[in-house]
Amino acid sequence: MTEPARRVRMSASDRRESILAAATEVFAEVGYLRGKTSTVARRVGVSEPVVFQNFGTKAALFAAVVDRAADHVCHLLDRTTASAVPVAVLLETMLDPGHLDQVHSAGSVGAIFADAAAVTDEPEIEAAARRSTQRFARSLTDLLDRGRAGGELRPDLDVEAAAWWLLSLVASQKFRRRTAAEPAAVEAKLAAGTLGFLLAPPGRKDAREPA
């Protein structure tokens, strides 16, 4: 007679990671206020007290989710910066109206950051939102710096200010969608205007070549 398979006990770090993964899904789908720790526990297959044993409070859990999501996004940005993909192509993709819609849609990682930025009465979440935005700005600054050094972007570009400008454009897309009379046209014009400002003038000599 075959013995039943033993259930492998999850390590503390693996359990914590599984809770964070489930919480990321829940909060991305329904937001911080509507997201329940009991739902997170069910998805992991543990009792709700286990969630609190690992994170203490719902706010601390959400803050950890924000930090984890920022780790993922910044890792992708840093890998992109180290790649040979043209910065101009990456910016065009980033500013594409369809891409911005996906960033803000329910279930996406962008929804987590937008939700965190809207929380004003939970110090842990506010701190996580600041940390993540500052990290995005640093990674984006590095990407823009590569574009400027490579001659793709205008040589007088303040890359740090441009990074914060781009982050602001991304963050405010939902506002434009809700208030503009023709949001699709506004998004297209903003994307074109932003790229027109950031990119080096056609025919400009590569910044890496000697004068």
Side-chain angles (χ1 to χ4, degrees):
M1 185 174 178
T2 304
E3 293 184 4
R6 287 185 177 181
R7 186 174 180 178
V8 178
R9 185 176 178 82
M10 194 178 294
S11 69
S13 60
D14 286 345
R15 173 156 292 171
R16 181 181 174 86
E17 177 59 27
S18 67
I19 293 172
L20 280 173
T24 299
E25 293 178 356
V26 172
F27 290 132
E29 290 166 7
V30 300
Y32 171 65
L33 293 179
R34 292 175 57 200
K36 296 181 178 180
T37 52
S38 59
T39 304
V40 173
R42 280 198 301 274
R43 292 199 183 186
V44 180
V46 299
S47 64
E48 191 174 12
V50 171
V51 175
F52 290 115
Q53 286 167 10
N54 278 269
F55 293 94
T57 65
K58 178 183 172 182
L61 172 61
F62 186 59
V65 164
V66 173
D67 285 332
R68 178 180 183 271
D71 285 342
H72 175 70
V73 173
C74 288
H75 177 66
L76 290 178
L77 272 174
D78 294 343
R79 282 182 58 189
T80 301
T81 298
S83 74
V85 180
V87 173
V89 172
L90 295 168
L91 291 175
E92 187 174 359
T93 300
M94 182 186 302
L95 293 168
D96 178 78
H99 175 257
L100 292 183
D101 280 340
Q102 289 182 335
V103 166
H104 290 92
S105 63
S108 71
V109 70
I112 291 173
F113 300 124
D115 202 23
V119 176
T120 59
D121 56 353
E122 295 281 4
E124 287 176 288
I125 297 174
E126 292 180 70
R130 281 194 301 273
R131 282 194 302 271
S132 63
T133 305
Q134 290 166 3
R135 291 179 64 189
F136 298 153
R138 287 193 295 270
S139 291
L140 197 50
T141 296
D142 290 342
L143 178 66
L144 295 175
D145 192 48
R146 172 164 77 85
R148 183 181 61 180
E152 295 181 73
L153 306 184
R154 54 189 300 166
D156 61 342
L157 183 66
D158 184 323
V159 290
E160 183 181 10
W164 281 100
W165 178 30
L166 289 172
L167 287 174
S168 298
L169 280 175
V170 172
S172 59
Q173 191 256 6
K174 211 167 187 178
F175 164 76
R176 296 191 298 274
R177 281 290 183 190
R178 289 175 175 171
T179 56
E182 297 182 9
V186 169
E187 290 303 312
K189 290 177 182 179
L190 273 174
T194 302
L195 284 171
F197 176 81
L198 294 174
L199 299 182
R204 190 186 76 81
K205 197 170 185 180
D206 194 310
R208 294 169 296 184
E209 296 180 5

